[in-house]
């Protein structure tokens, strides 16, 4: 896993947005896997700004979101479809038919989760998957003990995840306990994975993901087996890593080789 220690959350967002915009420059029909939550908001803002300045177009891009709460209608203020509309889709020129979410309403969910996987395959697979990380190590809504080769399916959320996301719900408002989510196997099929972690409350999770053992009890640790994962961390999220000097040195050496055009 490549670890990028940034000076602050804004630098992490700048770098991730730059990676996406560069990839879009090389491949206008990029296939993106997208995350919700607080973490990617800065990246989405930068993508919207690039489109507003006429520097990028998402007209041929296809997107697949990681997850969606079960039984929240698309228009519900807390649905991830609303989140994505407000934070990204309304600010870029992506055709509405090019965005997809795992099935979260109606019946036949198992078959439709399989169809979601098929749709990703038909699009040619995900080129870049954006990720955040939950304090319990979840990626997407793959909670601890998720199968390490799981595919898109319905998951029950842990008490800790519900507690972490309670901030989005008013007192007394009911919070969904089920969600449809890409599996860990689905995420690992992406060609590249860009993960961001921001803030001290993610420090334990980041340490377990980067320096801990691979375990279904900490799903993000499975990213260690993927060949092209970059984790962009702010100083607080990186504070418990034991090899910070090495990660910095690694980045310096890589930048040097790039400057010399040897990479
Ligand atoms: C969101 C998702 C989750 C979040 C994670 C971190 O689509 O799949 O895994 O990335 O819960 O959430 P934030 O960014 O709000 O700290």
């Amino acid at each position: 896993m490549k670890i990028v220690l940034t000076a602050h959350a804004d630098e992490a967002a700048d770098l991730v947005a730059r990676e996406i915009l560069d990839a879009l420059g090389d491949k206008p029909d990029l296939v993106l896997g997208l995350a919700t939550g607080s973490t990617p908001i800065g990246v989405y803002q930068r993508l919207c700004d690039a489109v507003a300045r006429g520097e990028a177009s998402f007209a041929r891009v296809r997107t697949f979101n990681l997850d969606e709460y079960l039984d929240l209608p698309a228009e519900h203020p807390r649905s991830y479809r609303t989140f994505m509309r407000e934070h990204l889709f309304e600010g870029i020129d992506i055709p509405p038919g090019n965005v997809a979410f795992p099935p979260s309403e109606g019946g036949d969910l198992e078959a439709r989760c399989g169809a979601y996987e098929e749709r990703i395959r038909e699009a040619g697979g995900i080129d870049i998957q954006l990720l955040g990380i939950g304090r319990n190590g979840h990626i997407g809504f793959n909670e601890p003990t998720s199968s390490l080769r799981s595919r898109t399916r319905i998951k029950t959320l842990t008490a800790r995840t519900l507690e972490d996301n309670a901030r989005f719900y008013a007192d007394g408002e009911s919070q969904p306990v089920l969600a449809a989510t890409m599996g860990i196997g689905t995420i690992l099929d992406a060609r590249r994975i860009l993960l961001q972690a921001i803030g001290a409350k993610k420090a334990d999770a980041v340490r377990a993901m980067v320096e801990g053992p691979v375990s279904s009890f900490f799903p993000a640790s499975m990213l260690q087996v993927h060949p092209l994962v970059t984790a962009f961390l702010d100083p607080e999220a990186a504070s418990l890593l034991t090899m910070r000097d090495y990660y910095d040195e690694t980045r310096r050496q890589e930048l040097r080789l790039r400057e010399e055009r040897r990479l």
Side-chain angles (χ1 to χ4, degrees), residues 1 43 159 180 185 211 241:
M1 195 181 301
V43 172
E211 297 180 348
L241 291 174

Side-chain angles (χ1 to χ4, degrees), residues 34 63-72 80-81 99-105 109 112-117 119-120 141 151-154 179-183:
L34 299 178
T63 67
F64 291 90
N65 262 82
L66 279 168
D67 40 21
E68 176 59 291
Y69 289 115
L70 210 74
D71 294 334
L72 284 192
Y80 281 171
R81 284 163 289 179
V99 313
F101 287 78
S104 57
E105 292 179 87
L109 289 167
R112 287 165 56 219
C113 284
Y116 191 63
E117 294 273 338
R119 200 165 160 192
I120 295 173
F141 273 139
R151 311 302 306 189
T152 303
R153 69 212 183 292
I154 307 300
T181 180
M182 281 186 199

Side-chain angles (χ1 to χ4, degrees), residues 35-39 66-67 132-134 138-140 167 202:
T36 57
S38 311
T39 310
L66 279 168
D67 40 21
I133 180 173
H138 73 213
I139 46 175
R167 65 187 192 279
K202 299 293 174 70

Side-chain angles (χ1 to χ4, degrees), residues 6-7 26 31 58 78 132 171 214 248:
T6 64
D26 292 342
V31 181
F58 286 73
R78 245 66 73 196
D171 278 350
V214 172
D248 262 338

